[in-house]
Amino acid sequence: MDPKPWRERIAEEEQLLEQLRTLSSDAATRRAQALRDGVAELGTIAAVARDLGRSWQAVDQAIKRDEKKAPQRDATTE
């Protein structure tokens, strides 16, 4: 059995990396929404961070990163 040509292997690995980036991005979005839900329930980012045993900066940054990547809505179309 001949091994796959290197170009084909590279193409397959690049496709897999793109799938992983998409999965990671989707997971980060869902995580940020869960953090927002936690803030709504507990009242503050600091309270969510304490509950999770994380720093408030980590929670805040996760939420802000998601807000930056979310498409901006055009106020004129709403």
Side-chain angles (χ1 to χ4, degrees):
M1 186 167 162
D2 292 326
K4 289 182 182 179
W6 64 270
R7 285 183 179 93
E8 188 177 327
R9 293 191 329 256
I10 289 173
E12 288 174 355
E13 295 305 324
E14 287 177 346
Q15 184 179 27
L16 180 58
L17 286 170
E18 182 56 35
Q19 289 172 355
L20 290 171
R21 277 190 286 273
T22 300
L23 288 171
S24 178
S25 177
D26 292 348
T29 297
R30 290 189 304 271
R31 178 176 177 255
Q33 184 56 53
L35 291 169
R36 282 189 213 90
D37 293 346
V39 171
E41 180 180 317
L42 299 179
T44 65
I45 288 174
V48 171
R50 273 192 301 278
D51 190 73
L52 296 173
R54 303 220 168 93
S55 72
W56 72 267
Q57 293 97 337
V59 173
D60 187 55
Q61 286 175 359
I63 292 171
K64 285 182 179 176
R65 272 192 302 269
D66 183 62
E67 289 169 354
K68 283 184 182 179
K69 75 177 180 180
Q72 299 297 318
R73 286 190 248 169
D74 185 1
T76 62
T77 60
E78 291 183 12

